[in-house]
Amino acid sequence: MQNGTEETRAIMVGHLYPVMEHNPRILERLQKKISNLNPHYIFILGDSKLFDPIVIKNWRKKFGDKVFFAPGNNEVIKGNLDIFFNSVGYTETFVDTNNVRYLISNSNDKGENLINFIKNSSQDLGDKKLILLTHHRIWDDTLTSAKPYEHDKSYYLKDIFPTLEK
């Protein structure tokens, strides 16, 4: 994103667990490409073995405080949200730049909690752009779960859209 002469470069990836389990060399190549792009921020959006503290440590060792994590359904379905939290330090957070505020959300949670997170994190935004980062495709209502913390999100876009629209 550009605002005047300032530029913020960010990379968002997710669903890395098949690569990590079956071909770690591909992950190494991905990380090398990420390094070559020299982004300001890297967002790992779940289903990337983020319930494993060693995985978190490796990403942080490679990229330092540029890397942020959002839990996916694989991180929470196995009951590993506490491990994720203890390794990462949050389940939701936001990152401010001069021109962008990235909201890193836990889309596994209840819709009302996502709405509250968006509202609370959108205060004092000024003229910054707001980018919501989630594991689930919140605009896609074809796959939903009956309850939070199952495979899919448990709310519909129409439930959170009024908050997003603001």
Side-chain angles (χ1 to χ4, degrees):
M1 300 212 88
Q2 287 188 324
N3 183 5
T5 59
E6 299 176 37
E7 182 179 277
T8 301
R9 291 181 313 281
I11 293 176
M12 295 87 174
V13 296
H15 285 95
L16 297 175
Y17 67 88
V19 170
M20 298 171 81
E21 290 177 7
H22 303 296
N23 196 339
R25 290 182 57 209
I26 293 174
L27 180 63
E28 289 173 23
R29 288 175 52 202
L30 172 65
Q31 289 180 333
K32 185 175 181 178
K33 285 184 184 240
I34 291 172
S35 290
N36 290 340
L37 292 170
N38 193 27
H40 294 104
Y41 301 99
I42 303 157
F43 300 100
I44 313 297
L45 303 178
D47 285 7
S48 300
K49 292 184 75 174
L50 302 178
F51 51 81
D52 184 344
I54 293 170
V55 170
I56 301 295
K57 286 178 187 172
N58 287 340
W59 278 101
R60 286 190 169 152
K61 182 178 178 185
K62 181 88 175 156
F63 296 106
D65 60 0
K66 290 182 177 187
V67 65
F68 295 87
F69 308 93
N73 53 284
N74 281 342
E75 279 76 36
V76 300
I77 276 186
K78 298 176 182 179
N80 292 320
L81 190 59
D82 289 338
I83 295 170
F84 174 90
F85 179 82
N86 289 333
S87 297
V88 174
Y90 56 83
T91 56
E92 296 179 314
T93 192
F94 66 87
V95 177
D96 265 334
T97 73
N98 289 334
N99 53 351
V100 178
R101 179 173 292 169
Y102 297 97
L103 302 185
I104 305 160
S105 71
N106 177 6
S107 58
N108 300 282
D109 206 345
K110 296 187 286 188
E112 67 188 58
N113 290 345
L114 178 59
I115 289 169
N116 288 332
F117 171 69
I118 294 167
K119 284 180 181 177
N120 293 334
S121 301
S122 299
Q123 296 176 7
D124 302 320
L125 193 60
D127 61 351
K128 294 180 185 185
K129 303 286 186 210
L130 186 68
I131 298 177
L132 177 63
L133 301 172
T134 67
H135 169 70
H136 294 97
R137 299 177 310 268
I138 59 170
W139 63 88
D140 182 359
D141 289 341
T142 59
L143 297 171
T144 57
S145 294
K147 299 183 298 189
Y149 293 99
E150 292 183 345
H151 185 270
D152 299 300
K153 64 182 181 115
S154 62
Y155 44 87
Y156 294 105
L157 178 59
K158 69 179 177 74
D159 299 330
I160 63 169
F161 188 75
T163 302
L164 295 174
E165 195 173 35
K166 293 177 186 172

